[in-house]
Amino acid sequence: MAITDKIYVKNHRQLSSQLETNIPKGAFKGATLDMLFQGQGLEKLDDATRDRVLDFTEDFLDCDCDNNPYCGCPERKFVQYLLELRAQGLGPDAIVDVMTDDYMVYAYPGDVLSFLDSAVRTLEAAEGLARVEGEDEAYDAIRREKQNLAR
C-alpha cells in the first residue's frame, strides 16, 4: 500500500458538510480528486479552508497529463513533498504537523516512518546495484540521498 493511500483529509466531515456532499476520508481517493480538480462547491468553504484546498490543488494536481488527476502525478508530487520535508531534517511527527498546517491533510506518524524506512531500503538496493555495475557517480548520489533520509 502506497503512502498516499494513508493520507487523510483533516476534518473531512466538516468539509463534507460545508460542501454539502460526501467526500471520502482519503485525500487521494477518486471522489476527493474529482471534487478538487473540478472545483465544485469550493466557494462554500470558509476562507482558511478554501486557501488550503486551493494550495493542495495547485501544488499536487497541476499537470498537463490527459488523465489528470488520475495520471499518478498528484501522488508522485506528494511523495516528493514528503521526501523534501525529511531532507529538511523533520521527523515523522513534524512531517505530519507540517502537512496538516500546509494542506489540511494528515497521516499517522507510524505510516510516515514506515514510508521513510521503505524509501531508505529502496535506496540501499539501488546503491548496491550501482556499486555492482561500477556506476560510481550514481552510487555516490544514491548514498548521499540515503544518508539524508536516514538521519
Side-chain angles (χ1 to χ4, degrees):
M1 182 176 278
I3 184 66
T4 54
D5 292 337
K6 298 178 181 185
I7 305 298
Y8 306 104
V9 176
K10 180 100 173 150
N11 301 327
H12 92 282
R13 286 187 184 143
Q14 177 185 349
L15 192 60
S16 289
S17 176
Q18 287 182 27
L19 292 170
E20 299 173 352
T21 187
N22 288 327
I23 60 168
K25 192 173 185 176
F28 290 92
K29 299 292 184 198
T32 306
L33 293 176
D34 278 344
M35 185 272 303
L36 294 174
F37 188 69
Q38 295 169 6
Q40 297 171 335
L42 294 183
E43 70 279 354
K44 298 175 185 175
L45 299 175
D46 62 73
D47 290 343
T49 302
R50 184 179 33 242
D51 289 346
R52 287 187 178 141
V53 168
L54 290 173
D55 286 344
F56 182 90
T57 302
E58 289 171 8
D59 290 350
F60 302 112
L61 300 184
D62 187 25
C63 76
D64 294 327
C65 296
D66 290 338
N67 294 335
N68 190 10
Y70 304 107
C71 53
C73 290
E75 293 85 350
R76 282 190 294 278
K77 288 178 181 181
F78 196 82
V79 164
Q80 183 63 39
Y81 166 74
L82 294 177
L83 293 172
E84 287 170 3
L85 291 176
R86 179 62 184 153
Q88 294 172 20
L90 300 179
D93 290 320
I95 288 172
V96 171
D97 290 344
V98 170
M99 77 169 76
T100 301
D101 289 345
D102 286 351
Y103 302 111
M104 286 184 55
V105 297
Y106 72 95
Y108 295 102
D111 289 336
V112 173
L113 179 62
S114 178
F115 161 73
L116 294 172
D117 182 62
S118 178
V120 169
R121 302 296 160 244
T122 300
L123 288 172
E124 285 175 345
E127 181 184 34
L129 288 172
R131 184 177 48 230
V132 167
E133 293 293 323
E135 298 287 337
D136 294 336
E137 286 182 35
Y139 172 81
D140 291 338
I142 293 166
R143 185 174 186 83
R144 280 191 303 275
E145 289 299 322
K146 182 186 79 172
Q147 289 170 340
N148 283 338
L149 282 181
R151 59 184 161 110

